[in-house]
Amino acid sequence: MRFDIVTIFPESLDGLLSVGVIGQARDAGHLRIHLHDLRDFTDDPHRIVDDRPYGGGAGMVMKVEPFVRGIEAIRGDCGPNTRTVLLSSQGRLFQQRDAMRWAALDGLILLCGRYEGIDERIIGFVDDEVSIGDYVLTGGEAAAAVVVEATARMTPGVVGKYDSVESDSFYGEDVRLGAPQYTRPPVFRGLEVPEILQSGDHARIEAYREAEAWKKTARNRPDLIGLNVEGTDTDG
Ligand code: SAH
C-alpha cells in the first residue's frame, strides 16, 4: 500500500514513520510512504500557502489551490483505488473500521492543515474528512501519522503475526478493548500475574482473557458496550 502525505512540514513525519513495524514494512516493500512539501505545489515565487480569512477574524487560512494541485499531481502516480482524506478537527471520527477498510486500497492521500485550517472549498476535492478525536491540534501531521499507523498495521504483510492484530482492541464485530497482558517477572512489588495465565491450560486462558477484556471495556469504555460496527460513517 502507498501513503502520500501533503504537509508544510514533511520532515516532521520522517522519524516516526521510519521506525519499528512501519519502518520494516517500508524496507521490505510492503508499504511506500511519500512525504510531499505543500510549497512544491505553489505557483508563485514566494511559495505562499496561506492568506487572510474572508469575513475577517484572527489567524490565517490555508489556500485551496496548492492542495488541489498536489492531489492532482500525486493521483497521476497512484493506483485507481486511491482515496483522498483531509485531516480535520471538523471531520467525522476516524475509527478502526476505517483503518481496516482503507488497508485494502492501493493508496491514501492525506492532507494536513495548519493555522485556522484549509479553505472549505477543499471538501469538493476529497473523499473523506476525518478527525482523530474531539480536540484541536496545531496541525494535521500528528493526525496523519495516526491514520498511517492504524491503517498500515492492517495491511497484509505489515504485522508479521496476524494473530496479534486479531486479539487487539476494536478488532472484529464486537467492538471491545483487548485483554490485559503480562510478562515476567511473575511477581513485581507484591503484584502477581494471574495464576490462570501461568497454568498452560489454553481453553481456560482464552475464556479468562475474553472475560477480562469485557471487564476492562466496562470499566474504561462503557460507551462501547452495546455498540456494534454500524457507526456514523456513510461511505461503503
Ligand atoms: N479552525 C479549526 C481548527 C484548525 S487546527 C477549527 O475551528 O476546528 C489546524 C489543522 O490541524 C486542521 O486544518 C487539521 O488539519 C489539523 N487538526 C486539528 N485538530 C485535528 C483533529 N482532531 N483531527 C485531525 N486533524 C486535526
Side-chain angles (χ1 to χ4, degrees):
M1 183 170 180
R2 167 175 172 150
F3 294 89
D4 289 86
I5 305 175
V6 183
T7 160
I8 56 167
F9 297 122
E11 69 285 358
S12 69
L13 287 164
D14 231 4
L16 185 61
L17 298 179
S18 299
V19 298
V21 165
I22 305 272
Q24 284 161 17
R26 290 176 78 175
D27 292 343
H30 295 303
L31 289 182
R32 278 179 298 158
I33 300 179
H34 299 275
L35 303 172
H36 303 271
D37 187 340
L38 178 68
R39 293 186 199 279
D40 291 345
F41 304 114
T42 55
D43 64 355
D44 66 298
H46 301 290
R47 298 170 30 109
I48 289 172
V49 293
D50 61 334
D51 205 338
R52 286 170 299 152
Y54 272 112
M60 298 295 271
V61 174
M62 297 192 92
K63 293 163 69 60
V64 68
E65 312 98 293
F67 280 105
V68 171
R69 262 191 230 108
I71 295 167
E72 289 169 353
I74 293 164
R75 269 200 170 269
D77 295 335
C78 294
N81 208 1
T82 294
R83 286 184 87 79
T84 303
V85 175
L86 170 65
L87 283 319
S88 160
S89 43
Q90 301 165 4
R92 71 171 173 80
L93 207 56
F94 171 73
Q95 298 195 331
Q96 183 69 30
R97 60 175 172 272
D98 297 306
M100 292 168 81
R101 201 164 43 216
W102 291 349
L105 295 172
D106 295 330
L108 276 183
I109 301 171
L110 301 171
L111 310 181
C112 305
R114 280 267 154 183
Y115 318 123
E116 297 305 314
I118 306 172
D119 183 318
E120 188 70 9
R121 288 171 289 184
I122 191 65
I123 297 301
F125 298 87
V126 301
D127 301 304
D128 284 283
E129 179 182 12
V130 299
S131 163
I132 61 159
D134 291 344
Y135 34 76
V136 178
L137 307 169
T138 60
E141 290 75 13
V146 166
V147 169
V148 172
E149 284 260 350
T151 306
R153 68 191 288 287
M154 301 311 298
T155 305
V158 171
V159 173
K161 196 163 161 283
Y162 208 72
D163 267 2
S164 66
V165 170
E166 290 175 359
S167 58
D168 280 337
S169 303
F170 303 110
Y171 188 90
E173 296 293 313
D174 291 325
V175 178
R176 59 149 173 79
L177 305 180
Q181 302 279 4
Y182 301 84
T183 186
R184 286 185 290 178
V187 183
F188 173 70
R189 298 193 182 170
L191 299 169
E192 288 178 24
V193 173
E195 175 275 326
I196 292 182
L197 295 179
Q198 304 176 65
S199 69
D201 180 337
H202 293 295
R204 277 180 70 217
I205 289 173
E206 227 17 74
Y208 172 83
R209 283 191 168 145
E210 184 69 13
E212 289 301 307
W214 285 108
K215 269 194 228 165
K216 187 149 193 184
T217 308
R219 192 164 67 242
N220 286 352
R221 293 295 305 276
D223 56 300
L224 291 177
I225 294 185
L227 284 184
N228 60 32
V229 291
E230 302 303 319
T232 51
D233 61 335
T234 48
D235 84 274

